[in-house]
DNA sequence: CACCAGGTTGACC
DNA sequence: GGTCAACATGGT
């Protein structure tokens, strides 16, 4: 299995690095098309200003937010989006929202501005701890390299059908694919070994 | 200097 | 249903 090989080669990644579920959610928006190192800087600044909390972030000055997250790019839309999402969770306690059935929770997250498929699944998996496999650009490219193309949902269904429905495995596998791709794959092609392994030994 | 990073949205077909 | 420009900074 590719999962076992990646785990063996790279070791556990322990994603998502964050102190709280709310930090995961904010980070999920900030990391869109952005290197994690820049997200860490922004998270750090938000923490210094005690803004990594639902009500505080919801009430924060938009100009201050823009300054604090400028290093993440798309800073104007991201500032208004994390503020909007903070307002939602200030009104709807996370514990209540996360206790919704998985599909309902996912739809609820998708209804928030700034939350698309990947971000919704990152929140469901890494913040709420429920089994939804996250498909990102690296995963999409890896699949394309072995001849499998499809919509986000189609790729996700394929993964979820191939591997055990286990939150810890979902978390690690996605993280491993990202780290492996960053280390060994080019922009338009994947490492030959993993492709061969995927074809011959399965996910 | 060109290219890309752990995407999403709204407009349009 | 799908495609596509726009969104923006920081590092190689």
């Amino acid at each position: 299995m590719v999962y076992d090989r990646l785990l063996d080669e790279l070791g556990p990644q322990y994603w998502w690095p964050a102190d709280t579920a709310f930090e995961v959610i904010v980070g999920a928006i900030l990391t869109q098309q952005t290197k994690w190192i820049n997200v860490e800087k922004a998270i750090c600044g938000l923490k210094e200003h005690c803004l990594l909390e639902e009500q505080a972030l919801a009430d924060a000055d938009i100009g201050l937010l823009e300054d604090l997250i400028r290093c993440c790019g798309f800073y104007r839309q991201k500032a208004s989006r994390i503020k909007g999402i903070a307002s939602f969770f200030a009104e709807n306690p996370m514990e209540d929202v996360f206790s919704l059935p998985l599909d309902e929770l996912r739809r609820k997250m998708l209804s928030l501005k700034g939350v698309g498929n990947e971000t919704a699944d990152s929140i469901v998996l890494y913040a709420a701890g429920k089994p939804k496999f996250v498909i990102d650009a690296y995963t999409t490219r890896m699949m394309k390299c072995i001849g499998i193309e499809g919509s986000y949902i189609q790729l996700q269904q394929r993964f979820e059908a191939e591997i055990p429905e286990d939150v810890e495995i979902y978390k690690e596998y996605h993280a491993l694919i990202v780290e492996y791709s960053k280390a060994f794959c080019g922009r338009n092609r994947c490492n030959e070994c993993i492709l061969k392994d995927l074809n011959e030994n399965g996910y």
Side-chain angles (χ1 to χ4, degrees), chain A residues 5 7 12 18 39-40 47 57 73 81 91 105 109 124 132 135 144 149 159 165 167 180 186:
Chain A
R5 211 195 86 199
L7 188 57
V39 177
E40 287 183 317
K47 276 184 180 167
L57 185 55
R81 287 170 182 179
E91 296 301 314
L105 168 60
M109 293 302 95
V124 169
K132 259 291 152 195
I135 303 294
K144 184 175 181 179
E149 298 189 58
F159 261 91
E165 185 181 76
V167 171
Y180 185 86

Side-chain angles (χ1 to χ4, degrees), chain A residues 172-183:
Chain A
E172 273 302 319
Y173 207 167
H174 171 240
L176 286 165
I177 288 172
V178 173
E179 293 307 325
Y180 185 86
S181 299
K182 287 200 284 199

Side-chain angles (χ1 to χ4, degrees), chain A residues 1 10 13 17 55 82 107-108 153 164 184 193:
Chain A
M1 301 277 287
L10 302 174
Q13 305 298 307
Q55 195 62 57
I82 59 175
R107 277 197 298 278
K108 185 71 80 179
I153 298 299
F184 303 114
C193 295

Side-chain angles (χ1 to χ4, degrees), chain A residues 15 66-67 80 100 116 118 156 169 184:
Chain A
W15 273 19
E66 290 178 356
D67 287 342
S80 103
L100 291 169
E118 183 181 338
Q156 180 177 58
I169 291 178
F184 303 114

Side-chain angles (χ1 to χ4, degrees), chain A residues 44-99:
Chain A
C44 227
L46 289 169
K47 276 184 180 167
E48 283 173 10
H49 289 255
C50 301
L51 294 176
L52 223 44
E53 185 276 324
E54 290 89 323
Q55 195 62 57
L57 185 55
D59 296 336
D61 176 72
I62 194 70
L64 172 60
L65 290 182
E66 290 178 356
D67 287 342
L68 291 173
I69 70 171
R70 178 161 288 122
C71 59
C72 295
F74 304 135
Y75 65 92
R76 280 198 291 221
Q77 43 176 287
K78 283 179 180 174
S80 103
R81 287 170 182 179
I82 59 175
K83 183 161 171 156
I85 290 166
S87 298
F88 171 80
F89 281 106
E91 296 301 314
N92 306 273
M94 204 172 292
E95 135 187 316
D96 296 342
V97 179
F98 286 177
S99 68

